[in-house]
Each structure stands twice: as structure tokens, then as C-alpha cells.
Amino acid sequence: MEVHISETIEKTPEQQEDARREFVAELWRRFEALQEWAITHWPDQQHPLSSADFVEARKEILSLRAPAGSLNQPSQNNAAEPEQGGAQYVDVTPAPWP
């Protein structure tokens, strides 16, 4: 058995974001395939599955797209509190699904 040990290479934030996006895209593709398989092969035909049965799982996967907020906005982890001169309101409403 051969074990591959990769060297730890520091990735830029852009590379990390690209890797995360690629991961989420692949996860979504695989989830869609699994969902289709599950609906097709569900053994209880009197109570069939539908895509509505997978809503919560879809929400969880989509939340991986931007765990720190919008992909187009910088992370707010180090943002100042309002009493420290930071923003009093931060819009966290997600963009609609395209």
C-alpha cells in the first residue's frame, strides 16, 4: 500500500475560496445524483419520495457556499462592534438562487 503525503502549502484566500467553491459544486452534483437515485429506487411506492423531501439537505449544502456571509463580501469576523465604531446594521439577507 502506497501512502501519499502532500506538503502543506499555504493557499491564498482566493485559492481557498476557489477550492471551497469547487468542493460545494461537486457536493451539489453528487447530491443531485443521490436524490435522483433515491426517488427512483424508493421501495414504498404508496408513499413515494419527491424532491420536496430533500429541502433541508439542500439548505445545508447551500449554506456551505458562504459560511461567513456573501461570497462577494469580505468576512466580518474581525469587524468592530457598534460601540467600537463598527456598523450598527449588517445585511445578511442571502441573494436569491439564480
Side-chain angles (χ1 to χ4, degrees), residues 10-89:
E10 290 296 318
K11 293 183 179 180
T12 66
E14 292 81 19
Q15 290 171 326
Q16 290 175 344
E17 183 66 19
D18 289 343
R20 189 168 61 79
R21 284 178 186 241
E22 288 175 26
F23 174 83
V24 172
E26 179 67 13
L27 178 62
W28 185 260
R29 186 190 66 72
R30 290 180 182 209
F31 174 74
E32 289 289 315
L34 174 66
Q35 175 182 302
E36 184 63 34
W37 177 87
I39 291 170
T40 304
H41 293 87
W42 181 246
D44 187 358
Q45 295 302 317
Q46 292 186 5
H47 303 96
L49 288 177
S50 73
S51 61
D53 294 311
F54 297 89
V55 169
E56 292 302 316
R58 263 191 237 106
K59 287 180 186 177
E60 291 295 323
I61 293 170
L62 291 176
S63 72
L64 296 174
R65 291 176 63 210
S70 172
L71 295 175
N72 298 324
Q73 296 176 355
S75 175
Q76 304 264 334
N77 293 344
N78 297 329
E81 293 295 323
E83 60 270 10
Q84 298 167 335
Q88 292 188 5
Y89 173 78

